[in-house]
Amino acid sequence: MHGISINESFSVRPIGYIESDYPDKFGIPRQPGLATAAKATLVLAPPFNTPLSVRGLEAFSHLWISFIFHRSPEEWAPLVRPPRLGGNKKIGVFASRSTHRPNRLGLSLIELVSINTDNGVRLLLKGADLMTGTPVVDIKPYLPWTEALPDARSGFAPTSPPFYPVAFSSAAEIALGQRPDANELRQLITQVLGQDPRPAYHHGQPEREYGMQLRDVNIRFQVQQRPEGNVVYVINIQKMINN
Amino acid sequence: MHGISINESFSVRPIGYIESDYPDKFGIPRQPGLATAAKATLVLAPPFNTPLSVRGLEAFSHLWISFIFHRSPEEWAPLVRPPRLGGNKKIGVFASRSTHRPNRLGLSLIELVSINTDNGVRLLLKGADLMTGTPVVDIKPYLPWTEALPDARSGFAPTSPPFYPVAFSSAAEIALGQRPDANELRQLITQVLGQDPRPAYHHGQPEREYGMQLRDVNIRFQVQQRPEGNVVYVINIQKMINN
């Protein structure tokens, strides 16, 4: 077909890697921009890490980052269960933003804060939904005059997901108070846990405890059903040993 | 770094191919949506071409299509000369949407018209900027609540490129009149040539003739400098022999 074999494959190699507040994939918000307190750095790798390759990029506020879901399985299935549909309805993998997809290509629109070219190239990002170690395969500037379409129809995901209030136990408050990044970490925990990171098929199991990693801590939490609605309750915050 | 080798590469294989009005890369508008008369079909390839894999996709009006610039060279340079800057200013390849980039990954936001699952899966697209034969590596639905950012800053490309009026010679009018798709082809030619597809470094050479392929025709044109401004003049429209 058009001189191209249907079986031809293409090799892509990382142009850089992510260093972020998310050491593990569990609990990462399902889209970028939902947890704006999340910081990340895209560290360009040789031979891409010359300041020339990002010249002019600072004039753009947002970037498209193409990356590989390197921790997702290589197997794929034509149907997936998106969490937005409660995990009990199946849609096509290409109608979803599932991480379990052919080619494992991810795409995130992420705010660019600044560029550091003191030693190689590091892009400081805000609100990224990317796990530490994620291999990045391309960066493109965002073009609002062609890519901002507020009136586009968006099927089963027409608005932002719900956001729950987050409460901290005394033990969690004490643990937070002992850290120099207390305020920032509190904001990050609130934004990330407020998204309700439980797997959709657990929603019928209130009071179940979960652990989630952020920065260098492990956070124990549960989702409590209260008369005023769901509240995410932070049971404890513990420093990870092997970090 | 994080258990991943800096030299690890990933293999991506096409999930499908494009059939479009653009048989050659010269003259294709520089972003999707600029020539809305351009039609394209994304034909899914086995084993991806089951209707299951696109279930629910019809509820979205726009798709992100990730593809390979398969006709661009594999070599890359850290600096490129975007046509929007007149071709005489260099910016970083990652600050551009240049087709000459590491990994040759392309990204287009394209309107979905309909889905045909009579025999395999064919997605009918509108305004695509994709050459026939382009290998597609992913499809994702567009999410306006997180991806429509009208106020994003966009550096050297803050607005749509200029659009010039297009005039047809008598010979071109006669050729058009003999075709069943006359009106549609006229609209397509007007939208595509109005973008001024000349290489930026030719802008100082008015009256120079160019050829561009659309559907099954070769279009001869020149950009004329008139007192009222630039006009793209269609000299002739000829059916391609080997199509």
Side-chain angles (χ1 to χ4, degrees):
Chain A
M1 179 193 277
H2 314 297
I4 300 176
S5 160
I6 200 79
N7 295 315
E8 185 177 2
S9 67
F10 299 87
S11 177
V12 299
R13 63 168 168 160
I15 61 161
Y17 292 88
I18 293 292
E19 294 176 356
S20 80
D21 284 335
Y22 302 115
D24 185 67
K25 64 182 176 172
F26 174 70
I28 298 180
R30 287 166 188 137
Q31 299 300 334
L34 295 177
T36 52
K39 284 183 184 153
T41 303
L42 197 174
V43 184
L44 291 190
F48 309 103
N49 64 346
T50 160
L52 297 179
S53 69
V54 293
R55 182 193 287 177
L57 191 61
E58 69 284 351
F60 293 85
S61 59
H62 290 76
L63 312 180
W64 288 112
I65 295 187
S66 292
F67 58 93
I68 305 287
F69 289 114
H70 67 299
R71 290 275 300 273
S72 290
E74 295 198 40
E75 307 85 62
W76 66 280
L79 291 171
V80 297
R81 299 173 190 265
R84 287 296 288 278
L85 294 174
N88 50 24
K89 196 179 161 192
K90 290 181 179 177
I91 63 164
V93 65
F94 296 129
S96 82
R97 307 280 288 221
S98 170
T99 62
H100 291 41
R101 61 195 309 117
N103 293 321
R104 300 189 297 168
L105 276 171
L107 178 66
S108 287
L109 178 58
I110 299 185
E111 187 174 346
L112 174 65
V113 176
S114 62
I115 302 178
N116 181 330
T117 57
D118 290 345
N119 179 17
V121 178
R122 301 169 70 90
L123 307 184
L124 274 60
L125 309 173
K126 189 176 166 188
D129 57 348
L130 300 169
M131 181 184 159
T132 278
T134 297
V136 172
V137 293
D138 204 9
I139 303 166
K140 295 179 199 281
Y142 180 70
L143 302 178
W145 53 271
T146 180
E147 297 178 329
L149 303 178
D151 298 328
R153 277 186 297 120
S154 62
F156 66 88
T159 55
S160 301
F163 187 85
Y164 299 123
V166 176
F168 293 77
S169 72
S170 311
E173 289 288 2
I174 290 168
L176 263 186
Q178 290 166 344
R179 294 179 57 100
D181 63 348
N183 288 340
E184 212 181 72
L185 184 59
R186 175 195 300 277
Q187 195 184 4
L188 180 62
I189 291 172
T190 303
Q191 290 180 350
V192 170
L193 293 193
Q195 320 274 338
D196 188 358
R198 295 176 301 164
Y201 56 89
H202 283 183
H203 285 188
Q205 306 172 29
E207 316 297 313
R208 179 170 170 156
E209 282 190 31
Y210 298 87
M212 177 182 177
Q213 299 177 2
L214 275 180
R215 297 195 178 170
D216 58 344
V217 295
N218 195 342
I219 300 152
R220 300 295 305 173
F221 70 96
Q222 63 187 176
V223 179
Q224 299 180 344
Q225 295 181 334
R226 297 186 184 175
E228 68 272 24
N230 279 0
V231 172
V232 184
Y233 185 71
V234 179
I235 301 164
N236 212 335
I237 299 172
Q238 289 175 311
K239 191 136 180 167
M240 285 188 279
I241 311 276
N242 297 316
N243 193 60
Chain B
M1 181 194 277
H2 314 297
I4 300 174
S5 160
I6 199 76
N7 294 315
E8 185 177 2
S9 68
F10 299 87
S11 176
V12 298
R13 62 168 169 161
I15 62 161
Y17 292 88
I18 293 292
E19 294 177 356
S20 80
D21 283 335
Y22 302 115
D24 185 66
K25 63 182 176 171
F26 175 70
I28 299 180
R30 288 166 190 138
Q31 298 301 333
L34 295 177
T36 53
K39 284 182 184 153
T41 303
L42 196 173
V43 185
L44 291 190
F48 310 101
N49 64 346
T50 159
L52 298 180
S53 69
V54 293
R55 182 193 285 176
L57 192 61
E58 69 284 351
F60 293 84
S61 59
H62 291 76
L63 312 179
W64 288 111
I65 295 187
S66 291
F67 58 93
I68 304 287
F69 289 115
H70 66 300
R71 291 275 300 274
S72 289
E74 295 198 41
E75 306 86 63
W76 66 280
L79 290 171
V80 298
R81 299 173 190 265
R84 286 296 288 279
L85 293 174
N88 50 24
K89 196 180 160 191
K90 290 181 179 176
I91 63 163
V93 64
F94 297 129
S96 83
R97 308 279 289 220
S98 168
T99 62
H100 290 43
R101 61 195 311 115
N103 294 320
R104 300 189 298 169
L105 276 170
L107 177 66
S108 286
L109 178 58
I110 298 185
E111 187 174 346
L112 173 65
V113 176
S114 62
I115 301 178
N116 182 330
T117 57
D118 290 345
N119 180 15
V121 178
R122 300 169 71 89
L123 308 184
L124 274 60
L125 310 172
K126 188 174 167 189
D129 56 347
L130 301 170
M131 180 184 160
T132 277
T134 296
V136 172
V137 293
D138 204 9
I139 303 166
K140 295 180 199 283
Y142 181 69
L143 302 177
W145 53 272
T146 180
E147 297 178 330
L149 303 177
D151 298 327
R153 278 186 297 121
S154 62
F156 66 87
T159 56
S160 301
F163 187 86
Y164 299 122
V166 177
F168 292 77
S169 71
S170 311
E173 289 287 3
I174 289 168
L176 263 185
Q178 290 165 344
R179 294 179 57 101
D181 63 349
N183 288 341
E184 211 181 72
L185 184 58
R186 175 195 301 275
Q187 196 183 3
L188 181 62
I189 292 171
T190 302
Q191 290 180 350
V192 170
L193 293 194
Q195 320 275 339
D196 189 359
R198 294 176 300 166
Y201 56 89
H202 284 184
H203 285 188
Q205 305 172 27
E207 315 297 314
R208 180 171 171 154
E209 282 191 31
Y210 297 87
M212 178 184 174
Q213 300 177 1
L214 275 179
R215 296 194 179 172
D216 59 343
V217 295
N218 195 342
I219 300 151
R220 301 292 305 171
F221 70 96
Q222 63 187 179
V223 179
Q224 299 179 345
Q225 294 183 334
R226 298 186 183 174
E228 69 273 22
N230 279 0
V231 172
V232 184
Y233 184 72
V234 178
I235 300 164
N236 213 335
I237 298 172
Q238 288 175 311
K239 190 136 180 167
M240 285 188 281
I241 311 276
N242 297 315
N243 194 58

